[in-house]
């Protein structure tokens, strides 16, 4: 399939052939959901923690004698039924990460790229560089192109001036091709790839 290559000044610079195997797959919502859930689970801190009875500070003495008081028997004031006591089966520090097959992760990335292509929200540009590395200048270019929420994926190395100019723009992300992922592709409205990004992604995902 052919895709028009544009510049950041919205000029047409020819065409590029996109690989059907990477950019022409059907929409698989189940695969996308699996990969996004896997990504978000990896990002969770897992630092939630409550104290068990062995971690509560306090006496180990029996509060009162076993029999004869008319009250329920108690063995510790650190038990969960008392204020300041332990929490039973509370959360503990752990990793939420789980494994996902490489072929599913690869299929998820190809599907996300194909979804953007199918929706007409994939744009290929010649290079992610600007003569004036200023946020104001880049914002004006994006306004001309109609890009509000956009993910820009470059080749193996992102131009430092361009990345710095885009850093303060809300809802604009810039990534190298090795950082391309399903979650970031789907959470932005437009997906912009450079020629170098297309070449590297096709070589990696074929």
């Amino acid at each position: 399939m052919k895709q028009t290559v544009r510049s950041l000044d919205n000029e047409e610079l020819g065409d590029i052939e996109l690989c059907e195997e990477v950019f022409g797959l059907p929409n698989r919502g189940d695969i996308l959901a699996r990969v996004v859930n896997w990504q978000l689970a990896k990002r969770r801190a897992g630092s939630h923690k409550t104290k068990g009875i062995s971690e509560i500070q306090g006496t180990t003495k029996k509060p009162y004698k076993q029999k004869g008081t008319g009250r329920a028997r108690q063995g510790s004031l650190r038990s969960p039924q008392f204020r300041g006591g332990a929490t039973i089966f509370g959360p503990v520090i752990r990793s939420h990460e789980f494994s996902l097959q490489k072929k599913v992760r690869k299929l998820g990335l190809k599907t996300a790229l194909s979804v953007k292509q199918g929706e007409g929200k994939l744009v290929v540009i010649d290079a992610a560089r600007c003569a004036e590395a200023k946020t104001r200048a880049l914002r004006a270019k994006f306004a001309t192109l109609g890009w509000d929420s956009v993910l820009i994926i470059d080749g193996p190395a992102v131009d430092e001036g361009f990345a710095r100019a885009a850093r303060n723009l809300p809802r604009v992300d810039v990534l190298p091709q090795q950082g391309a992922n399903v979650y970031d592709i789907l959470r932005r409205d437009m997906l912009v790839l450079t020629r170098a990004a297309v070449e590297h992604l096709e070589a990696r995902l074929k």
Side-chain angles (χ1 to χ4, degrees):
M1 70 182 70
K2 282 192 176 182
Q3 179 82 17
T4 303
V5 179
R6 299 182 177 276
S7 70
L8 285 175
D9 296 317
N10 206 17
E11 299 172 350
E12 292 191 10
L13 301 175
D15 295 326
I16 189 172
E17 193 72 31
L18 297 180
C19 176
E20 287 274 355
E21 193 179 331
V22 177
F23 293 94
L25 298 183
N27 187 347
R28 288 285 305 276
D30 57 326
I31 296 293
L32 294 177
R34 286 179 67 184
V35 178
V36 168
N37 287 337
W38 169 75
Q39 278 189 248
L40 295 182
K42 283 176 61 179
R43 287 172 47 173
R44 291 183 66 177
S47 55
H48 39 21
K49 178 76 171 71
T50 57
K51 289 185 177 181
I53 195 166
S54 63
E55 299 166 302
I56 300 290
Q57 286 189 342
T59 181
T60 58
K61 180 186 174 185
K62 191 171 173 66
Y64 46 82
K65 64 181 183 177
Q66 179 86 345
K67 293 180 174 293
T69 64
R71 298 180 64 188
R73 54 195 171 192
Q74 301 293 345
S76 172
L77 287 175
R78 299 181 299 161
S79 297
Q81 64 266 34
F82 292 115
R83 183 180 179 189
T87 300
I88 297 300
F89 302 129
V92 294
I93 294 173
R94 69 183 182 90
S95 170
H96 292 272
E97 186 176 350
F98 59 89
S99 61
L100 189 65
Q101 297 95 322
K102 282 184 181 178
K103 63 181 181 181
V104 176
R105 283 146 47 187
K106 188 174 178 180
L107 178 58
L109 185 53
K110 291 196 287 187
T111 303
L113 294 170
S114 299
V115 165
K116 289 298 182 184
Q117 166 65 18
E119 292 176 348
K121 294 182 177 179
L122 173 67
V123 177
V124 179
I125 60 174
D126 186 51
R129 295 188 191 88
C130 50
E132 187 183 3
K134 297 286 186 182
T135 301
R136 183 188 302 171
L138 199 58
R139 184 191 290 116
K141 288 181 183 291
F142 286 0
T144 303
L145 291 161
W147 297 348
D148 177 39
S149 171
V150 58
L151 169 65
I152 300 167
I153 300 178
D154 203 348
V158 176
D159 181 70
E160 188 178 340
F162 184 87
R164 190 168 57 247
R167 193 179 300 157
N168 285 332
L169 292 174
R171 307 209 298 167
V172 173
D173 297 323
V174 181
L175 293 174
Q177 64 85 19
Q178 58 269 31
N181 65 87
V182 174
Y183 177 71
D184 282 327
I185 290 172
L186 295 181
R187 80 188 186 109
R188 297 300 180 206
D189 184 47
M190 296 295 297
L191 173 62
V192 178
L193 304 177
T194 63
R195 281 183 186 269
V198 172
E199 291 170 8
H200 283 86
L201 286 171
E202 287 185 348
R204 174 175 141 198
L205 297 173
K206 272 183 181 178

